[in-house]
Amino acid sequence: MRILLLIITLLISPAAFSQSESTKAAITADSKAEFPGGQTAFRNEFMKMVRAYVDITAYAVNGKFSFVLTIDEKGKMSELKIYPKVKYDEEFRQDMEFAMKRIKKKWKPAMKNGVPVSSNIIFEINFSSEHSDEEY
């Protein structure tokens, strides 16, 4: 009986303690998320909020920055990543997130088989110590 119990324990234990990876399958959307007026309208609105609410001179931001923005199934901006990283990166990201949250218009979410899905939007902005580009 002990041998049977030992064998069962040995057979079950690796499965109980093994690490399983849950991977998200990449979703390829039928249509991309859209901002009312297009991406140029979003950039203009975003830069308007940055100028109004963020002291950009407080950061060492010079050059082109890529913003990766997650648009959820409801059309709300839910996550922001910024590349490349800068000095005081967390504060910079928080300030940029604050400026984005000031934008009141909702995105039209990406669609997959007629169902809204979460998606990422990538846009770039060129910052310099004196200003940020108005032209995209």
Side-chain angles (χ1 to χ4, degrees):
M1 184 66 164
R2 280 191 219 172
I3 295 175
L4 183 59
L5 186 58
L6 180 62
I7 292 173
I8 291 173
T9 305
L10 290 175
L11 290 175
I12 294 175
S13 63
F17 294 106
S18 68
Q19 295 180 359
S20 62
E21 282 186 36
S22 63
T23 56
K24 281 187 175 179
I27 298 174
T28 306
D30 298 332
S31 66
K32 293 182 178 184
E34 295 177 17
F35 188 77
Q39 200 164 34
T40 301
F42 173 74
R43 287 180 185 184
N44 291 338
E45 188 73 18
F46 174 68
M47 289 311 300
K48 180 176 148 185
M49 296 303 162
V50 167
R51 284 193 286 300
Y53 295 104
V54 178
D55 179 13
I56 205 69
T57 60
Y59 303 102
V61 290
N62 281 311
K64 195 174 281 191
F65 286 80
S66 296
F67 289 73
V68 180
L69 178 62
T70 301
I71 308 299
D72 69 12
E73 298 84 2
K74 296 176 184 168
K76 292 183 81 176
M77 298 174 279
S78 61
E79 185 180 352
L80 174 67
K81 295 178 184 172
I82 304 172
Y83 301 100
K85 303 293 183 189
V86 296
K87 188 175 184 181
Y88 307 115
D89 182 66
E90 186 59 28
E91 292 87 357
F92 178 65
R93 188 190 57 75
Q94 287 175 352
D95 281 351
M96 294 297 116
E97 235 175 39
F98 180 80
M100 283 197 178
K101 287 181 182 179
R102 305 305 302 165
I103 299 171
K104 297 301 178 196
K105 294 179 185 174
K106 277 192 172 182
W107 288 74
K108 178 182 171 197
M111 302 294 273
K112 174 70 175 173
N113 297 327
V115 178
V117 294
S118 179
S119 65
N120 290 332
I121 300 295
I122 300 171
F123 65 98
E124 294 181 338
I125 296 189
N126 193 17
F127 288 105
S128 73
S129 3
E130 292 91 38
H131 70 287
S132 61
D133 278 347
E134 297 296 323
E135 296 178 25
Y136 306 101

